[in-house]
Amino acid sequence: MSDDRLFVQSLQKGLALLEAFSRQPGELSLNELAALSGIDRSSAQRMAHTLLKLGYLERGANGRGYTPGRKILDRSFDFLRSRPLIERATPVIIELQRSTGERVDLSLFDGTSIVYALRRQSKRETFFATLAGRRLASFITSGGRACMAHLPRDEVAAMLARADIRPATPKTLLDPDAIMARIDQARREGYSVVLEEMLIGEVVVGAAILDQQGRPVGAIHVAGSLSEWPPARFTARFAPLAIEAARALSGGSGLR
């Protein structure tokens, strides 16, 4: 960004300090913050002090380290209430979860990644599966692949070429050709299915939400347990419902 005259590097450093917690959650020392954010210790100390005073950082349990501050949740609230798609999707997600009895999520498409914005839980969940705000690679999620299926194939190929694809489970697809084949399948069928690529024992179907120009902006996910559902039966039961919900949310103005 050195050639961008409007780019404020000091602001970038402050945000990098906050982003360090995405790489190592929990309480971090000043040295750890500096190392994870790539900032020298002196700058990290000044940035941490400022963020602490503003409420975006808080002291850890021992009074020495740092944790994300409650003020960050205020900005999350601002984001969630400012997106028309999230407002429109909320009753749809609630009703879909009630009718399926399974976990239902709304994700927002961000190119090579998705971000969960709404999550309605079933009776069995891991802690991370209950949290909005989690970011995952598009290539290994049902909603991400469903979204990429609505992009030109050469655009998807370029995204795959620059992606850092890492396994979430031993069953995560890592081969770009195999991933592209699944995206092509989603393009034909109108939905994507992922088996145990994000969580062992989990099956997820995803359908894309499109804007007025037909570009993907998000996705509906329905997730179940393979201990209760054979993959084919789960897909036959819930893929049409995911598609119907995604279509109900597509095409509106202001979806981005």
Side-chain angles (χ1 to χ4, degrees):
M1 300 289 184
S2 58
D3 58 344
D4 188 341
R5 299 173 66 181
L6 296 178
F7 190 80
V8 182
Q9 291 186 338
S10 59
L11 178 57
Q12 178 196 30
K13 290 181 179 180
L15 294 174
L17 219 63
L18 295 176
E19 291 169 356
F21 292 96
S22 68
R23 301 175 60 186
Q24 185 175 318
E27 185 178 314
L28 297 178
S29 68
L30 182 60
N31 287 337
E32 289 171 327
L33 279 174
L36 289 169
S37 60
I39 301 173
D40 65 81
R41 193 180 188 281
S42 177
S43 295
Q45 185 176 36
R46 295 195 302 273
M47 295 291 175
H49 176 77
T50 303
L51 292 168
L52 185 68
K53 291 294 185 180
L54 293 174
Y56 290 98
L57 285 180
E58 295 177 4
R59 285 293 188 181
N62 62 5
R64 300 181 64 182
Y66 297 90
T67 62
R70 292 170 178 82
K71 199 73 168 287
I72 293 176
L73 286 176
D74 295 342
R75 305 290 75 77
S76 298
F77 175 74
D78 293 339
F79 174 86
L80 292 171
R81 69 174 178 172
S82 70
R83 293 291 173 127
L85 174 59
I86 295 174
E87 181 178 0
R88 289 179 54 203
T90 297
V92 174
I93 294 291
I94 291 173
E95 181 55 34
L96 186 57
Q97 197 278 327
R98 286 175 178 167
S99 64
T100 62
E102 304 294 340
R103 190 181 86 232
V104 179
D105 301 321
L106 169 74
S107 68
L108 303 179
F109 184 59
D110 197 19
T112 57
S113 62
I114 63 165
V115 184
Y116 290 110
L118 294 174
R119 314 199 79 174
R120 294 285 297 181
Q121 307 310 317
S122 64
K123 56 188 176 294
R124 47 169 199 288
E125 295 303 341
T126 62
F127 176 59
F128 288 127
T130 69
L131 299 177
R134 190 182 187 193
R135 182 180 291 269
L136 297 173
S138 296
F139 312 101
I140 60 176
T141 62
S142 62
R145 290 177 186 171
C147 285
M148 288 189 289
H150 288 274
L151 297 175
R153 203 171 187 274
D154 58 347
E155 185 175 341
V156 177
M159 293 168 65
L160 282 168
R162 66 176 184 269
D164 180 18
I165 305 172
R166 301 182 182 184
T169 76
K171 298 191 176 184
T172 303
L173 285 182
L174 302 177
D175 178 64
D177 291 336
I179 296 172
M180 181 64 86
R182 297 295 176 87
I183 295 170
D184 288 339
Q185 182 180 359
R187 186 176 288 111
R188 294 190 302 270
E189 296 179 344
Y191 63 88
S192 177
V193 182
V194 165
L195 295 175
E196 300 188 289
E197 293 192 51
M198 279 305 308
L199 184 67
I200 292 297
E202 183 180 70
V203 53
V204 189
V205 296
I209 301 167
L210 309 177
D211 65 13
Q212 290 180 313
Q213 288 72 48
R215 297 279 297 184
V217 294
I220 297 291
H221 308 239
V222 182
S225 171
L226 291 174
S227 67
E228 299 177 2
W229 293 94
R233 185 165 162 243
F234 183 88
T235 301
R237 174 72 177 85
F238 296 118
L241 297 179
I243 292 171
E244 181 182 8
R247 285 177 177 169
L249 296 171
S250 295
S253 61
L255 287 186
R256 295 182 185 277

